[in-house]
Amino acid sequence: QVQLVESGGGLVQAGGSTRLSCAASGNIFSINAVGWYRQTPGKQRELVAGISEGGITNYADSVKGRFTISRDNAKNTVYLQMNSLKPEDTAVYYCNAGISTRSSWPAHYDYWGRGTQVTVSS
């Protein structure tokens, strides 16, 4: 069974940094695109950053120049380095990935983690 587990959230002061990790486990054969999303109460979940299987990245305008997404394919892990944090970055951050197992290849299915809270204090 495939699982995505986020870690690294917590309380950070404005201007500070933190790094989130998204680790995939299970009978994984391939992971294609991975995205970090965030959500605050009463708002829709929004894409913060994405990375393709080949390492091409894209970012929301609100985080460009401050956040960096990267992946370690050998560890089935994706990271989100968050610098110059602002109070408006406070949210639950979710990881999403398209994953295939040996039995489902070449089909990739969508998986979500349970999220990790990031709170930026002013």
Side-chain angles (χ1 to χ4, degrees):
Q1 189 170 355
V2 174
Q3 281 191 320
L4 290 179
V5 178
E6 302 97 337
S7 61
L11 179 63
V12 185
Q13 284 194 331
S17 299
T18 193
R19 188 178 78 160
L20 306 183
S21 299
C22 170
S25 62
N27 187 22
I28 296 168
F29 184 70
S30 170
I31 303 175
N32 54 19
V34 180
W36 280 100
Y37 291 74
R38 66 187 180 189
Q39 189 170 25
T40 53
K43 293 189 176 180
Q44 283 193 327
R45 196 170 293 188
E46 63 171 354
L47 177 65
V48 174
I51 187 166
S52 71
E53 187 172 8
I56 296 171
T57 60
N58 62 285
Y59 298 93
D61 287 342
S62 59
V63 306
K64 278 181 184 175
R66 300 188 299 121
F67 291 9
T68 302
I69 188 171
S70 61
R71 64 191 291 165
D72 184 336
N73 292 331
K75 295 182 178 179
N76 289 334
T77 301
V78 172
Y79 305 97
L80 185 68
Q81 179 65 42
M82 306 164 67
N83 299 329
S84 302
L85 282 160
K86 304 175 181 179
E88 50 264 43
D89 294 318
T90 296
V92 178
Y93 285 74
Y94 297 90
C95 177
N96 170 262
I99 296 174
S100 77
T101 62
R102 289 188 183 276
S103 60
S104 75
W105 175 262
H108 287 70
Y109 295 96
D110 217 27
Y111 290 88
W112 287 91
R114 292 187 175 184
T116 184
Q117 175 72 46
V118 174
T119 302
V120 184
S121 63
S122 56

